[in-house]
Amino acid sequence: MAIKTDFLVIGSGIGGLSYALKVSEVGEVVVVTKKEDSESNTNYAQGGIASVVSSDDTFEAHIQDTLGAGDGLCKPEVVEKVIKSGPKYIKELLSVGVNFTRDRRGEFDLGREGGHTRKRVLHVQDFTGREIENALLRAVKSKGNIRLYENHIAVDLITEKSSKKDIKCLGAFILDIDENKIDTFLSRIILLATGGAGRAYRHTTNPRIATGDGVAMAYRAGAKISNMEFIQFHPTSLYHPQGESFLISEAVRGEGGKLKLRNGKAFMHNYHPLKELAARDVVARAIDSELKKSGDACVFLDITHLNSDFIRTRFPNIYNKCLTLGIDITREWIPVVPAAHYMCGGILTHLNGTTNIKNLFACGEVSMTGMHGANRLASNSLLEAIAFADFAAKSSKSEFKKEKGKRYSGVKNWETKGRFHKKEWVIISHDKKEIQNLMWDYVGIVRSDRRLKRAASRVKIILKEIEEFFGLNPVKEEVVELRNIATIAELIILSAISRKESRGLHYNVDHPERDDKGWKRDTIVQKEDC
Ligand code: FAD
Ligand code: SIN
């Protein structure tokens, strides 16, 4: 029996939860999420959320900083709308109980991050994401008409199509991980808020959920996917042989942290006048270049000149994490390397949250709205996600009015095939490491035509193998994610190959210049046989 609802929300980060709260004013909502409810990129956000809340700041300055980082590809009308609505969303977060850190005078304690010309990042120490996630979850759980399904992973969207231009989303097939069965969820409106895809790379700041499921599902269903070549590498992820990668917030550099080589020499002045606070693409490439020159495994971030009580109060999360690995950041330099952090591309999404598939909306990291262009400005992601959740909720509500009362379309249930072949799976499961390695080595911070071509041919073969396995075996969570990682890898590579220039986060040594005549436009990929 299908589970039926008015609004199906896939993902429980800031995008999905804030949308769910808003559409619950008019109908029944189901939120599905693939792990426990709080597990999301949102939960790990450190630096904070950028918004113009200080009298020293202006909307125009935030807009210009965003456009500057975006390197010619932001959509100005989107940037303006999101930034000007920023204070409204800060109020909403305060109203659900997010207690942003304040200074002694009771004013917001604003942080500074790369590419920002002002201090404008609201934060809760360095636990901002966790506070936002928990506050939104509390609000969602207080609503009687929102049902939350944990350990439910969406496998594919259910669509009805008469042509490539005329596709309608009806719901999704969802694997109940505990019960090991696929359920059919039918809904009048569907929101994809599944977050990013950092796990397509060997080194990433992203948690395990970030396997690009939403983009991959939407692509298979016929959605237009845009700007996937723009993968943001965060310059400072903790380098430690025994630790999973862990972010060292840009706010640490905002408070005066200096990047140094092993011999103690600073180097950022050789790359940009803003030094450590240049935009992320610049800092990540500078570190990459220094590591290639020196052959070292990491560079270092030094904040030992700051007051140790200040460090412990401002960055308790980073301080404690490093201490568990034997690094006292009040006295020792922090070893850091760049790591895949944020997907600027995604499902092509319009200013009202719609996609080219009817009744399918998207918001947050899964979407490409035009806010970030070729490079996202720090701390603009939480802002974009909450803003587009609102825009999408508004247009979803009016779309819902039209759909309300109609019968749900008849949909065949998922057909489970065969028995799971464990031996076959062992072979296929190695593909994940191979994809992550080749994405890191060939499709990373610095690219070339030859490396991209090589990555493309290998990923094509791997994806074919995975699709075959997927078609012949009962669905398992690991296979769903592997299939999606491979699809994401292919989309990034195809988009990177097509962009014959260097811009923002996409740097190709064979086309090192920005080419505004040929390439001041988005890349768009749509599946041929959808
Ligand atoms: P997420 O918060 O990632 O939520 C996605 C949800 O979808 C999760 O619940 C996940 O389990 C679920 N999901 C995924 N696939 C499926 C599926 N197939 N089926 C069911 N559920 C699924 N941005 C800032 O603006 N400021 C910061 O300070 C900041 N710091 C960051 C620090 C770290 C370590 C990281 C990783 C990111 C940071 N970012 C920051 C980026 C920002 O956190 C994310 O872009 C943002 O939180 C994305 O929100 P979202 O709702 O789109 O997705
Ligand atoms: C950070 O704290 O450095 C992450 C901020 C972001 O990704 O916007």
Side-chain angles (χ1 to χ4, degrees), residues 12 16-18 20-21 24 29 31 33 35-39 96 132-150:
S12 61
L17 295 177
S18 41
L21 282 174
S24 72
V29 184
V31 179
T33 191
K35 295 272 178 219
E36 65 266 36
D37 49 21
S38 62
E39 196 52 15
V96 290
I132 292 177
E133 182 69 26
N134 288 340
L136 289 171
L137 275 172
R138 277 194 305 272
V140 159
K141 286 177 183 173
S142 72
K143 299 274 174 191
N145 61 342
I146 305 183
R147 278 177 288 165
L148 185 61
Y149 290 76
E150 293 179 297

PDB file of all heavy atoms in Angstrom, residues 12 16-18 20-21 24 29 31 33 35-39 96 132-150:
ATOM      1  N   SER A  12      16.345  16.191   5.800  1.00  0.00           N
ATOM      2  CA  SER A  12      15.995  16.906   7.038  1.00  0.00           C
ATOM      3  C   SER A  12      17.119  17.828   7.505  1.00  0.00           C
ATOM      4  O   SER A  12      17.448  17.879   8.682  1.00  0.00           O
ATOM      5  CB  SER A  12      15.627  15.909   8.133  1.00  0.00           C
ATOM      6  OG  SER A  12      16.729  15.054   8.406  1.00  0.00           O
ATOM      7  N   GLY A  16      15.090  21.242   4.062  1.00  0.00           N
ATOM      8  CA  GLY A  16      13.898  20.402   4.193  1.00  0.00           C
ATOM      9  C   GLY A  16      13.056  20.776   5.397  1.00  0.00           C
ATOM     10  O   GLY A  16      11.817  20.886   5.303  1.00  0.00           O
ATOM     11  N   LEU A  17      13.701  21.004   6.534  1.00  0.00           N
ATOM     12  CA  LEU A  17      12.935  21.263   7.759  1.00  0.00           C
ATOM     13  C   LEU A  17      12.238  22.620   7.722  1.00  0.00           C
ATOM     14  O   LEU A  17      11.083  22.747   8.128  1.00  0.00           O
ATOM     15  CB  LEU A  17      13.850  21.177   8.990  1.00  0.00           C
ATOM     16  CG  LEU A  17      14.449  19.791   9.272  1.00  0.00           C
ATOM     17  CD1 LEU A  17      15.395  19.858  10.471  1.00  0.00           C
ATOM     18  CD2 LEU A  17      13.369  18.742   9.513  1.00  0.00           C
ATOM     19  N   SER A  18      12.943  23.642   7.211  1.00  0.00           N
ATOM     20  CA  SER A  18      12.274  24.945   7.233  1.00  0.00           C
ATOM     21  C   SER A  18      11.136  24.980   6.214  1.00  0.00           C
ATOM     22  O   SER A  18      10.098  25.608   6.468  1.00  0.00           O
ATOM     23  CB  SER A  18      13.244  26.123   7.100  1.00  0.00           C
ATOM     24  OG  SER A  18      14.214  25.874   6.167  1.00  0.00           O
ATOM     25  N   ALA A  20       9.321  22.291   5.444  1.00  0.00           N
ATOM     26  CA  ALA A  20       8.255  21.472   6.041  1.00  0.00           C
ATOM     27  C   ALA A  20       7.404  22.304   7.003  1.00  0.00           C
ATOM     28  O   ALA A  20       6.172  22.223   7.008  1.00  0.00           O
ATOM     29  CB  ALA A  20       8.864  20.266   6.763  1.00  0.00           C
ATOM     30  N   LEU A  21       8.083  23.121   7.808  1.00  0.00           N
ATOM     31  CA  LEU A  21       7.348  23.946   8.775  1.00  0.00           C
ATOM     32  C   LEU A  21       6.361  24.861   8.061  1.00  0.00           C
ATOM     33  O   LEU A  21       5.234  25.050   8.506  1.00  0.00           O
ATOM     34  CB  LEU A  21       8.332  24.816   9.567  1.00  0.00           C
ATOM     35  CG  LEU A  21       9.099  24.109  10.677  1.00  0.00           C
ATOM     36  CD1 LEU A  21      10.142  25.053  11.271  1.00  0.00           C
ATOM     37  CD2 LEU A  21       8.126  23.634  11.764  1.00  0.00           C
ATOM     38  N   SER A  24       3.415  23.011   6.213  1.00  0.00           N
ATOM     39  CA  SER A  24       2.507  22.333   7.156  1.00  0.00           C
ATOM     40  C   SER A  24       1.327  23.235   7.532  1.00  0.00           C
ATOM     41  O   SER A  24       0.357  22.776   8.103  1.00  0.00           O
ATOM     42  CB  SER A  24       3.259  21.877   8.408  1.00  0.00           C
ATOM     43  OG  SER A  24       3.602  22.988   9.199  1.00  0.00           O
ATOM     44  N   VAL A  29       2.302  16.721   5.881  1.00  0.00           N
ATOM     45  CA  VAL A  29       3.685  16.682   5.396  1.00  0.00           C
ATOM     46  C   VAL A  29       4.367  15.394   5.860  1.00  0.00           C
ATOM     47  O   VAL A  29       4.208  14.985   7.013  1.00  0.00           O
ATOM     48  CB  VAL A  29       4.496  17.886   5.934  1.00  0.00           C
ATOM     49  CG1 VAL A  29       5.908  17.902   5.339  1.00  0.00           C
ATOM     50  CG2 VAL A  29       3.789  19.200   5.650  1.00  0.00           C
ATOM     51  N   VAL A  31       8.284  13.924   6.035  1.00  0.00           N
ATOM     52  CA  VAL A  31       9.720  14.178   5.817  1.00  0.00           C
ATOM     53  C   VAL A  31      10.420  12.828   5.901  1.00  0.00           C
ATOM     54  O   VAL A  31      10.260  12.114   6.894  1.00  0.00           O
ATOM     55  CB  VAL A  31      10.297  15.122   6.897  1.00  0.00           C
ATOM     56  CG1 VAL A  31      11.793  15.350   6.668  1.00  0.00           C
ATOM     57  CG2 VAL A  31       9.558  16.453   6.931  1.00  0.00           C
ATOM     58  N   THR A  33      14.195  10.876   5.766  1.00  0.00           N
ATOM     59  CA  THR A  33      15.617  11.190   5.883  1.00  0.00           C
ATOM     60  C   THR A  33      16.391   9.895   6.066  1.00  0.00           C
ATOM     61  O   THR A  33      15.906   8.960   6.707  1.00  0.00           O
ATOM     62  CB  THR A  33      15.834  12.208   7.019  1.00  0.00           C
ATOM     63  OG1 THR A  33      17.166  12.695   6.948  1.00  0.00           O
ATOM     64  CG2 THR A  33      15.559  11.634   8.404  1.00  0.00           C
ATOM     65  N   LYS A  35      19.232   8.838   7.517  1.00  0.00           N
ATOM     66  CA  LYS A  35      19.867   8.361   8.761  1.00  0.00           C
ATOM     67  C   LYS A  35      19.024   8.876   9.925  1.00  0.00           C
ATOM     68  O   LYS A  35      17.847   9.096   9.766  1.00  0.00           O
ATOM     69  CB  LYS A  35      21.287   8.906   8.875  1.00  0.00           C
ATOM     70  CG  LYS A  35      22.221   8.399   7.802  1.00  0.00           C
ATOM     71  CD  LYS A  35      22.870   7.109   8.231  1.00  0.00           C
ATOM     72  CE  LYS A  35      23.753   6.588   7.124  1.00  0.00           C
ATOM     73  NZ  LYS A  35      23.727   5.161   6.955  1.00  0.00           N
ATOM     74  N   GLU A  36      19.680   9.140  11.100  1.00  0.00           N
ATOM     75  CA  GLU A  36      18.883   9.770  12.147  1.00  0.00           C
ATOM     76  C   GLU A  36      18.598  11.203  11.710  1.00  0.00           C
ATOM     77  O   GLU A  36      19.327  11.756  10.877  1.00  0.00           O
ATOM     78  CB  GLU A  36      19.518   9.670  13.538  1.00  0.00           C
ATOM     79  CG  GLU A  36      20.801  10.394  13.720  1.00  0.00           C
ATOM     80  CD  GLU A  36      22.009   9.499  13.486  1.00  0.00           C
ATOM     81  OE1 GLU A  36      21.948   8.614  12.593  1.00  0.00           O
ATOM     82  OE2 GLU A  36      23.014   9.710  14.152  1.00  0.00           O
ATOM     83  N   ASP A  37      17.533  11.769  12.314  1.00  0.00           N
ATOM     84  CA  ASP A  37      16.989  13.010  11.753  1.00  0.00           C
ATOM     85  C   ASP A  37      17.985  14.170  11.675  1.00  0.00           C
ATOM     86  O   ASP A  37      17.939  14.986  10.775  1.00  0.00           O
ATOM     87  CB  ASP A  37      15.708  13.437  12.492  1.00  0.00           C
ATOM     88  CG  ASP A  37      15.856  13.440  14.011  1.00  0.00           C
ATOM     89  OD1 ASP A  37      17.011  13.504  14.483  1.00  0.00           O
ATOM     90  OD2 ASP A  37      14.825  13.396  14.710  1.00  0.00           O
ATOM     91  N   SER A  38      18.926  14.265  12.619  1.00  0.00           N
ATOM     92  CA  SER A  38      19.807  15.437  12.617  1.00  0.00           C
ATOM     93  C   SER A  38      21.003  15.288  11.664  1.00  0.00           C
ATOM     94  O   SER A  38      21.726  16.249  11.418  1.00  0.00           O
ATOM     95  CB  SER A  38      20.330  15.706  14.034  1.00  0.00           C
ATOM     96  OG  SER A  38      21.093  14.599  14.450  1.00  0.00           O
ATOM     97  N   GLU A  39      21.220  14.087  11.155  1.00  0.00           N
ATOM     98  CA  GLU A  39      22.433  13.852  10.359  1.00  0.00           C
ATOM     99  C   GLU A  39      22.318  14.543   8.998  1.00  0.00           C
ATOM    100  O   GLU A  39      21.511  14.165   8.151  1.00  0.00           O
ATOM    101  CB  GLU A  39      22.661  12.338  10.213  1.00  0.00           C
ATOM    102  CG  GLU A  39      24.036  11.916   9.766  1.00  0.00           C
ATOM    103  CD  GLU A  39      25.195  12.498  10.581  1.00  0.00           C
ATOM    104  OE1 GLU A  39      24.972  13.021  11.686  1.00  0.00           O
ATOM    105  OE2 GLU A  39      26.327  12.432  10.080  1.00  0.00           O
ATOM    106  N   VAL A  96      12.606  30.310  16.405  1.00  0.00           N
ATOM    107  CA  VAL A  96      12.529  28.869  16.738  1.00  0.00           C
ATOM    108  C   VAL A  96      13.568  28.493  17.808  1.00  0.00           C
ATOM    109  O   VAL A  96      13.702  27.326  18.170  1.00  0.00           O
ATOM    110  CB  VAL A  96      12.683  27.932  15.504  1.00  0.00           C
ATOM    111  CG1 VAL A  96      11.470  28.020  14.596  1.00  0.00           C
ATOM    112  CG2 VAL A  96      13.985  28.159  14.744  1.00  0.00           C
ATOM    113  N   ILE A 132      21.100  25.210  14.796  1.00  0.00           N
ATOM    114  CA  ILE A 132      20.009  25.443  13.831  1.00  0.00           C
ATOM    115  C   ILE A 132      19.231  24.143  13.616  1.00  0.00           C
ATOM    116  O   ILE A 132      17.993  24.108  13.649  1.00  0.00           O
ATOM    117  CB  ILE A 132      20.574  25.983  12.489  1.00  0.00           C
ATOM    118  CG1 ILE A 132      21.133  27.394  12.690  1.00  0.00           C
ATOM    119  CG2 ILE A 132      19.520  25.950  11.399  1.00  0.00           C
ATOM    120  CD1 ILE A 132      21.781  28.009  11.452  1.00  0.00           C
ATOM    121  N   GLU A 133      19.975  23.063  13.395  1.00  0.00           N
ATOM    122  CA  GLU A 133      19.347  21.764  13.127  1.00  0.00           C
ATOM    123  C   GLU A 133      18.438  21.363  14.292  1.00  0.00           C
ATOM    124  O   GLU A 133      17.285  20.983  14.102  1.00  0.00           O
ATOM    125  CB  GLU A 133      20.459  20.727  12.905  1.00  0.00           C
ATOM    126  CG  GLU A 133      20.002  19.321  12.576  1.00  0.00           C
ATOM    127  CD  GLU A 133      19.357  19.166  11.198  1.00  0.00           C
ATOM    128  OE1 GLU A 133      19.659  19.957  10.291  1.00  0.00           O
ATOM    129  OE2 GLU A 133      18.532  18.241  11.050  1.00  0.00           O
ATOM    130  N   ASN A 134      18.953  21.478  15.504  1.00  0.00           N
ATOM    131  CA  ASN A 134      18.157  21.061  16.665  1.00  0.00           C
ATOM    132  C   ASN A 134      16.928  21.936  16.858  1.00  0.00           C
ATOM    133  O   ASN A 134      15.846  21.439  17.182  1.00  0.00           O
ATOM    134  CB  ASN A 134      19.014  21.077  17.942  1.00  0.00           C
ATOM    135  CG  ASN A 134      20.020  19.933  17.926  1.00  0.00           C
ATOM    136  OD1 ASN A 134      19.835  18.956  17.191  1.00  0.00           O
ATOM    137  ND2 ASN A 134      21.080  20.038  18.701  1.00  0.00           N
ATOM    138  N   ALA A 135      17.102  23.235  16.640  1.00  0.00           N
ATOM    139  CA  ALA A 135      15.955  24.142  16.819  1.00  0.00           C
ATOM    140  C   ALA A 135      14.868  23.813  15.790  1.00  0.00           C
ATOM    141  O   ALA A 135      13.677  23.751  16.131  1.00  0.00           O
ATOM    142  CB  ALA A 135      16.416  25.585  16.675  1.00  0.00           C
ATOM    143  N   LEU A 136      15.274  23.589  14.538  1.00  0.00           N
ATOM    144  CA  LEU A 136      14.270  23.285  13.504  1.00  0.00           C
ATOM    145  C   LEU A 136      13.605  21.938  13.776  1.00  0.00           C
ATOM    146  O   LEU A 136      12.395  21.776  13.591  1.00  0.00           O
ATOM    147  CB  LEU A 136      14.916  23.307  12.112  1.00  0.00           C
ATOM    148  CG  LEU A 136      15.318  24.695  11.594  1.00  0.00           C
ATOM    149  CD1 LEU A 136      16.141  24.580  10.307  1.00  0.00           C
ATOM    150  CD2 LEU A 136      14.078  25.565  11.333  1.00  0.00           C
ATOM    151  N   LEU A 137      14.389  20.968  14.236  1.00  0.00           N
ATOM    152  CA  LEU A 137      13.804  19.649  14.528  1.00  0.00           C
ATOM    153  C   LEU A 137      12.777  19.752  15.652  1.00  0.00           C
ATOM    154  O   LEU A 137      11.714  19.143  15.591  1.00  0.00           O
ATOM    155  CB  LEU A 137      14.903  18.650  14.908  1.00  0.00           C
ATOM    156  CG  LEU A 137      15.592  17.939  13.732  1.00  0.00           C
ATOM    157  CD1 LEU A 137      16.785  17.131  14.218  1.00  0.00           C
ATOM    158  CD2 LEU A 137      14.612  17.035  12.970  1.00  0.00           C
ATOM    159  N   ARG A 138      13.110  20.554  16.672  1.00  0.00           N
ATOM    160  CA  ARG A 138      12.145  20.728  17.777  1.00  0.00           C
ATOM    161  C   ARG A 138      10.839  21.306  17.230  1.00  0.00           C
ATOM    162  O   ARG A 138       9.744  20.840  17.563  1.00  0.00           O
ATOM    163  CB  ARG A 138      12.720  21.683  18.840  1.00  0.00           C
ATOM    164  CG  ARG A 138      13.651  21.026  19.847  1.00  0.00           C
ATOM    165  CD  ARG A 138      13.886  21.944  21.044  1.00  0.00           C
ATOM    166  NE  ARG A 138      14.376  23.272  20.711  1.00  0.00           N
ATOM    167  CZ  ARG A 138      15.675  23.599  20.564  1.00  0.00           C
ATOM    168  NH1 ARG A 138      16.619  22.691  20.735  1.00  0.00           N
ATOM    169  NH2 ARG A 138      16.029  24.838  20.278  1.00  0.00           N
ATOM    170  N   ALA A 139      10.985  22.308  16.367  1.00  0.00           N
ATOM    171  CA  ALA A 139       9.780  22.957  15.815  1.00  0.00           C
ATOM    172  C   ALA A 139       8.971  21.966  14.975  1.00  0.00           C
ATOM    173  O   ALA A 139       7.742  21.886  15.087  1.00  0.00           O
ATOM    174  CB  ALA A 139      10.193  24.164  14.982  1.00  0.00           C
ATOM    175  N   VAL A 140       9.666  21.183  14.144  1.00  0.00           N
ATOM    176  CA  VAL A 140       8.972  20.212  13.285  1.00  0.00           C
ATOM    177  C   VAL A 140       8.251  19.163  14.134  1.00  0.00           C
ATOM    178  O   VAL A 140       7.103  18.795  13.866  1.00  0.00           O
ATOM    179  CB  VAL A 140      10.002  19.557  12.320  1.00  0.00           C
ATOM    180  CG1 VAL A 140       9.510  18.229  11.787  1.00  0.00           C
ATOM    181  CG2 VAL A 140      10.309  20.508  11.158  1.00  0.00           C
ATOM    182  N   LYS A 141       8.924  18.714  15.184  1.00  0.00           N
ATOM    183  CA  LYS A 141       8.327  17.652  16.016  1.00  0.00           C
ATOM    184  C   LYS A 141       7.127  18.159  16.828  1.00  0.00           C
ATOM    185  O   LYS A 141       6.345  17.362  17.329  1.00  0.00           O
ATOM    186  CB  LYS A 141       9.402  17.051  16.930  1.00  0.00           C
ATOM    187  CG  LYS A 141      10.355  16.156  16.139  1.00  0.00           C
ATOM    188  CD  LYS A 141      11.472  15.615  16.984  1.00  0.00           C
ATOM    189  CE  LYS A 141      12.410  14.791  16.109  1.00  0.00           C
ATOM    190  NZ  LYS A 141      13.601  14.355  16.819  1.00  0.00           N
ATOM    191  N   SER A 142       7.019  19.479  16.934  1.00  0.00           N
ATOM    192  CA  SER A 142       5.882  20.003  17.688  1.00  0.00           C
ATOM    193  C   SER A 142       4.628  20.111  16.802  1.00  0.00           C
ATOM    194  O   SER A 142       3.558  20.458  17.273  1.00  0.00           O
ATOM    195  CB  SER A 142       6.218  21.377  18.270  1.00  0.00           C
ATOM    196  OG  SER A 142       6.242  22.325  17.216  1.00  0.00           O
ATOM    197  N   LYS A 143       4.776  19.816  15.522  1.00  0.00           N
ATOM    198  CA  LYS A 143       3.631  19.935  14.606  1.00  0.00           C
ATOM    199  C   LYS A 143       2.955  18.569  14.465  1.00  0.00           C
ATOM    200  O   LYS A 143       3.628  17.582  14.112  1.00  0.00           O
ATOM    201  CB  LYS A 143       4.083  20.374  13.201  1.00  0.00           C
ATOM    202  CG  LYS A 143       4.756  21.712  13.176  1.00  0.00           C
ATOM    203  CD  LYS A 143       3.727  22.811  13.060  1.00  0.00           C
ATOM    204  CE  LYS A 143       4.408  24.156  13.172  1.00  0.00           C
ATOM    205  NZ  LYS A 143       3.511  25.265  13.327  1.00  0.00           N
ATOM    206  N   GLY A 144       1.640  18.568  14.657  1.00  0.00           N
ATOM    207  CA  GLY A 144       0.910  17.300  14.580  1.00  0.00           C
ATOM    208  C   GLY A 144       0.806  16.746  13.165  1.00  0.00           C
ATOM    209  O   GLY A 144       0.605  15.542  12.984  1.00  0.00           O
ATOM    210  N   ASN A 145       0.933  17.606  12.167  1.00  0.00           N
ATOM    211  CA  ASN A 145       0.705  17.114  10.794  1.00  0.00           C
ATOM    212  C   ASN A 145       2.004  16.920  10.000  1.00  0.00           C
ATOM    213  O   ASN A 145       1.974  16.883   8.779  1.00  0.00           O
ATOM    214  CB  ASN A 145      -0.260  18.050  10.045  1.00  0.00           C
ATOM    215  CG  ASN A 145       0.301  19.454   9.925  1.00  0.00           C
ATOM    216  OD1 ASN A 145       1.221  19.824  10.660  1.00  0.00           O
ATOM    217  ND2 ASN A 145      -0.243  20.229   9.006  1.00  0.00           N
ATOM    218  N   ILE A 146       3.130  16.827  10.724  1.00  0.00           N
ATOM    219  CA  ILE A 146       4.378  16.472  10.014  1.00  0.00           C
ATOM    220  C   ILE A 146       4.840  15.110  10.545  1.00  0.00           C
ATOM    221  O   ILE A 146       5.060  14.941  11.751  1.00  0.00           O
ATOM    222  CB  ILE A 146       5.507  17.501  10.248  1.00  0.00           C
ATOM    223  CG1 ILE A 146       5.058  18.915   9.863  1.00  0.00           C
ATOM    224  CG2 ILE A 146       6.765  17.104   9.472  1.00  0.00           C
ATOM    225  CD1 ILE A 146       6.136  20.006   9.992  1.00  0.00           C
ATOM    226  N   ARG A 147       4.935  14.129   9.631  1.00  0.00           N
ATOM    227  CA  ARG A 147       5.462  12.817  10.026  1.00  0.00           C
ATOM    228  C   ARG A 147       6.911  12.716   9.561  1.00  0.00           C
ATOM    229  O   ARG A 147       7.205  13.006   8.403  1.00  0.00           O
ATOM    230  CB  ARG A 147       4.662  11.696   9.354  1.00  0.00           C
ATOM    231  CG  ARG A 147       3.369  11.354  10.053  1.00  0.00           C
ATOM    232  CD  ARG A 147       2.605  10.285   9.293  1.00  0.00           C
ATOM    233  NE  ARG A 147       2.037  10.802   8.056  1.00  0.00           N
ATOM    234  CZ  ARG A 147       1.571  10.045   7.061  1.00  0.00           C
ATOM    235  NH1 ARG A 147       1.646   8.727   7.153  1.00  0.00           N
ATOM    236  NH2 ARG A 147       1.069  10.577   5.972  1.00  0.00           N
ATOM    237  N   LEU A 148       7.783  12.285  10.448  1.00  0.00           N
ATOM    238  CA  LEU A 148       9.211  12.216  10.119  1.00  0.00           C
ATOM    239  C   LEU A 148       9.643  10.746  10.081  1.00  0.00           C
ATOM    240  O   LEU A 148       9.460  10.024  11.060  1.00  0.00           O
ATOM    241  CB  LEU A 148       9.969  12.979  11.211  1.00  0.00           C
ATOM    242  CG  LEU A 148      11.460  13.191  11.083  1.00  0.00           C
ATOM    243  CD1 LEU A 148      11.817  13.987   9.845  1.00  0.00           C
ATOM    244  CD2 LEU A 148      11.972  13.958  12.308  1.00  0.00           C
ATOM    245  N   TYR A 149      10.165  10.303   8.950  1.00  0.00           N
ATOM    246  CA  TYR A 149      10.628   8.909   8.812  1.00  0.00           C
ATOM    247  C   TYR A 149      12.157   8.897   8.774  1.00  0.00           C
ATOM    248  O   TYR A 149      12.753   9.322   7.786  1.00  0.00           O
ATOM    249  CB  TYR A 149      10.132   8.296   7.501  1.00  0.00           C
ATOM    250  CG  TYR A 149       8.651   8.032   7.427  1.00  0.00           C
ATOM    251  CD1 TYR A 149       7.737   9.074   7.236  1.00  0.00           C
ATOM    252  CD2 TYR A 149       8.151   6.729   7.505  1.00  0.00           C
ATOM    253  CE1 TYR A 149       6.375   8.826   7.147  1.00  0.00           C
ATOM    254  CE2 TYR A 149       6.793   6.476   7.411  1.00  0.00           C
ATOM    255  CZ  TYR A 149       5.919   7.523   7.231  1.00  0.00           C
ATOM    256  OH  TYR A 149       4.569   7.275   7.132  1.00  0.00           O
ATOM    257  N   GLU A 150      12.775   8.393   9.838  1.00  0.00           N
ATOM    258  CA  GLU A 150      14.240   8.242   9.834  1.00  0.00           C
ATOM    259  C   GLU A 150      14.605   6.922   9.145  1.00  0.00           C
ATOM    260  O   GLU A 150      13.759   6.033   8.995  1.00  0.00           O
ATOM    261  CB  GLU A 150      14.769   8.229  11.268  1.00  0.00           C
ATOM    262  CG  GLU A 150      14.601   9.554  11.984  1.00  0.00           C
ATOM    263  CD  GLU A 150      15.107   9.505  13.417  1.00  0.00           C
ATOM    264  OE1 GLU A 150      14.540   8.734  14.215  1.00  0.00           O
ATOM    265  OE2 GLU A 150      16.063  10.230  13.727  1.00  0.00           O
TER     266      GLU A 150
END
